[in-house]
């Protein structure tokens, strides 16, 4: 007769495990068994027989590769976090906290257009109540925003954000094959939140990509292009739907190419570099098209009106460059990296958004590391613009010695 394997009884486990007569591992804020079965653990609500400091079971490392200062210390005030969806008769305060954060603060950080703020505050969450994947995306972005606002709890909120992001992307992928006139608005809203989420996620030194749970993920240029291509079939529905106010008509139609002299000079030199680039006619064509699109993007940022969305304008360039350019950039071709470095000047214009903060400087540092010898001379101008904290805004230079305006 085979004897049963002995184990130490848990007298301080959660009530759910005791009720099911299984061993509780007592992990906080929710034990593994409760997470696995998507039920509320009473550790989360403070109804367990004992209490212990909050220890998320899975944490993201910071860009330095180590936990944030003080992360080894227990949180002073454990707060409830519920990972599973709302169940009848239950209030999941963790998710409600995230939704409150989104509608009171985060919704105002997705655009500079006041008319779109109400759509993000009211209409997008309303769509989320009908589409779980969108609500998960809302909660994920709100959690990352809280990790930015509350650095002492950054790892906790990053862990929560990852959970909701996984669910959002899983639902997105499962439903994308059945995109229709009803659910396309939720897909459109989530596509914007995916961009915000990826840029807001922790960055890895030495990488030009996003980081997800410590691993490099997709190339961000390809991500923006992919999101746009997925939504293209539904564009007529979105244009006539409840979120049509988030669109920026004509953002790709500008014919304005005039620039301040220093910027114009730099892009002309960049075009000359592309004409003699290695890789054959296809590569030269890709570089030339990328510089032409960059000139349009610069001009649009420089001349845009106050009611035009600077974020939508800035992200036109990744959508307009040829597929071949994306391949060359992923292969770390020097010419592609130099063009990308000049695009960082546009990204730096978005540095006042919490989810874009530091991205331009991060990319510039890594591009500099990738380039060698005289190639580095080609990125001196964008490096200086970013280092001086200058921006191609239409109201003029940030200082009288601006090298952007001359």
């Amino acid at each position: 007769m085979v004897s049963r394997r002995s184990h130490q009884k848990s007298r301080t486990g959660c009530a759910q495990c005791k009720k099911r007569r299984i061993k509780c591992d007592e992990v906080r804020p929710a034990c593994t068994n409760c997470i696995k079965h998507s039920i509320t653990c009473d550790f989360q609500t403070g109804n367990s027989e004992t209490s212990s400091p909050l220890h998320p079971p899975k944490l993201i490392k910071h860009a330095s590769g180590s936990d944030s200062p003080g992360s080894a210390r227990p949180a002073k005030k454990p707060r409830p976090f519920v990972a599973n969806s709302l169940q009848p008769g239950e209030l999941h305060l963790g998710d409600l906290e995230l939704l409150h954060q989104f509608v009171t603060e985060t919704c105002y950080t997705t655009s500079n257009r006041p008319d779109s703020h109400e759509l993000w505050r009211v209409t997008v969450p309303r769509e989320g109540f009908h589409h779980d994947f969108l609500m998960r995306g809302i909660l994920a972005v709100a959690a990352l925003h809280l990790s930015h606002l509350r650095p002492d709890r950054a790892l906790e909120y990053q862990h929560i954000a990852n959970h909701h992001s996984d669910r959002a992307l899983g639902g997105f992928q499962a439903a994308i094959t059945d995109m229709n006139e009803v659910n396309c608005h939720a897909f459109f809203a989530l596509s914007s939140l995916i961009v915000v989420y990826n840029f807001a996620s922790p960055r890895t030194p030495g990488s030009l990509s996003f980081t997800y749970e410590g691993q490099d993920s997709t190339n961000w240029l390809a991500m923006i292009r992919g999101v746009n291509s997925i939504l293209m079939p539904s564009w007529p529905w979105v244009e006539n739907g409840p979120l049509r106010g988030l669109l920026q008509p004509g953002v790709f139609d500008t014919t304005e190419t005039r620039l301040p002299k220093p910027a114009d000079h730099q892009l002309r030199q960049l075009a000359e570099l592309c004409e003699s680039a290695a890789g054959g006619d296809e590569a030269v064509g890709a570089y030339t098209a990328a510089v032409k699109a960059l000139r349009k993007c610069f001009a649009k940022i420089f001349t845009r009106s106050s009611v035009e969305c600077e974020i939508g304008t800035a992200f036109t360039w990744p959508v307009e460059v040829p597929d071949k350019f994306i391949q060359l950039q992923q292969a770390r071709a020097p010419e592609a990296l130099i063009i990308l470095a000049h695009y960082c000047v546009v990204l730096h214009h978005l540095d006042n958004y919490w989810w874009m903060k530091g991205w331009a400087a991060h990319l510039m540092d890594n591009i500099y590391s990738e380039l060698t010898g005289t190639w580095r001379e080609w990125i001196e101008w964008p490096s200086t613009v970013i280092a001086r904290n200058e921006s191609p805004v239409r109201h003029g230079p940030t200082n009288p010695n601006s090298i952007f305006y001359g």
Side-chain angles (χ1 to χ4, degrees):
M1 179 177 179
V2 179
S3 61
R4 294 180 60 187
R5 184 172 57 182
S6 62
H7 65 270
Q8 185 178 355
K9 278 191 174 183
S10 171
R11 300 186 182 279
T12 56
C14 75
Q16 298 287 1
C17 287
K18 289 181 179 179
K19 182 178 180 181
R20 299 175 67 235
R21 296 184 179 181
I22 58 176
K23 179 175 173 58
C24 181
D25 59 10
E26 302 179 37
V27 171
R28 311 295 175 120
C31 76
T32 302
N33 289 326
C34 287
I35 292 177
K36 180 179 179 181
H37 294 283
S38 297
I39 58 179
T40 304
C41 183
D42 57 346
F43 288 155
Q44 298 165 326
T45 58
N47 294 330
S48 58
E49 295 177 3
T50 61
S51 61
S52 66
L54 190 62
H55 291 292
K58 190 176 183 184
L59 303 177
I60 296 180
K61 297 291 185 181
H62 277 268
S64 62
S66 60
D67 292 345
S68 61
S71 61
R73 296 191 300 269
K76 292 181 179 179
K77 294 182 179 180
R79 300 185 185 184
F81 157 56
V82 177
N84 49 307
S85 298
L86 215 59
Q87 301 292 333
E90 296 179 344
L91 275 178
H92 295 304
L93 301 184
D95 290 347
L96 293 180
E97 177 193 26
L98 298 180
L99 184 57
H100 177 266
Q101 168 62 30
F102 188 87
V103 300
T104 58
E105 293 186 64
T106 307
C107 64
Y108 299 107
T109 68
T110 57
S111 173
N112 63 300
R113 292 168 54 196
D115 60 319
S116 71
H117 293 162
E118 191 70 2
L119 292 173
W120 281 110
R121 189 182 74 85
V122 177
T123 311
V124 171
R126 183 186 298 147
E127 286 289 320
F129 288 125
H130 300 287
H131 305 280
D132 182 78
F133 62 84
L134 174 57
M135 184 56 73
R136 294 286 187 175
I138 290 171
L139 300 183
V141 170
L144 279 188
H145 195 189
L146 283 174
S147 76
H148 174 81
L149 297 173
R150 304 175 186 177
D152 59 318
R153 299 178 61 194
L155 295 177
E156 174 192 349
Y157 282 119
Q158 287 166 10
H159 173 54
I160 295 170
N162 278 345
H163 171 83
H164 285 298
S165 174
D166 284 345
R167 298 291 183 88
L169 292 177
F172 182 92
Q173 292 167 354
I176 194 66
T177 55
D178 188 33
M179 184 162 55
N180 53 54
E181 190 173 0
V182 175
N183 63 19
C184 66
H185 314 294
F187 282 112
F188 171 62
L190 182 61
S191 69
S192 298
L193 294 175
I194 287 173
V195 174
V196 173
Y197 183 90
N198 278 285
F199 277 108
S201 298
R203 297 185 286 268
T204 298
S207 172
L208 298 177
S209 301
F210 295 120
T211 297
Y212 181 72
E213 295 187 349
Q215 300 293 325
D216 283 347
S217 62
T218 185
N219 177 280
W220 61 276
L221 290 174
M223 180 273 297
I224 293 174
R225 291 166 61 81
V227 166
N228 183 75
S229 64
I230 289 173
L231 292 173
M232 285 304 292
S234 67
W235 220 244
W237 294 330
V238 176
E239 287 179 325
N240 294 287
L243 299 181
R244 59 185 176 276
L246 297 181
L247 299 176
Q248 187 174 332
V251 69
F252 293 100
D253 300 335
T254 180
T255 57
E256 179 61 69
T257 57
R258 290 176 297 175
L259 293 173
K261 287 184 178 179
D264 179 73
H265 175 70
Q266 288 298 321
L267 292 186
R268 287 183 185 276
Q269 284 194 321
L270 208 54
E272 292 176 4
L273 172 67
C274 295
E275 291 175 0
S276 58
D281 292 343
E282 187 180 8
V284 170
Y287 293 140
T288 302
V291 173
K292 184 178 180 180
L294 186 58
R295 175 175 284 275
K296 286 175 57 180
C297 188
F298 266 64
K300 189 68 175 177
I301 284 286
F302 179 71
T303 61
R304 69 176 183 84
S305 68
S306 59
V307 298
E308 292 180 297
C309 180
E310 57 189 357
I311 297 172
T313 300
F315 287 148
T316 57
W317 183 76
V319 175
E320 290 200 298
V321 297
D323 290 335
K324 179 62 177 178
F325 178 82
I326 301 296
Q327 296 170 12
L328 291 164
Q329 183 268 314
Q330 291 174 334
R332 303 297 195 264
E335 294 89 348
L337 293 178
I338 290 168
I339 295 172
L340 179 61
H342 284 72
Y343 175 63
C344 286
V345 173
V346 175
L347 291 183
H348 184 64
H349 183 55
L350 306 180
D351 211 52
N352 56 316
Y353 293 92
W354 65 272
W355 47 277
M356 284 298 298
K357 188 72 175 177
W359 250 100
H362 167 75
L363 286 172
M364 284 300 307
D365 288 344
N366 290 305
I367 291 172
Y368 182 86
S369 298
E370 292 280 350
L371 297 174
T372 59
T374 56
W375 288 115
R376 290 180 173 178
E377 297 175 8
W378 285 93
I379 64 171
E380 181 179 344
W381 179 78
S383 296
T384 305
V385 170
I386 293 171
R388 289 189 182 185
N389 197 30
E390 296 183 4
S391 184
V393 291
R394 68 190 304 271
H395 302 295
T398 55
N399 66 71
N401 299 315
S402 170
I403 67 167
F404 189 92
Y405 290 83

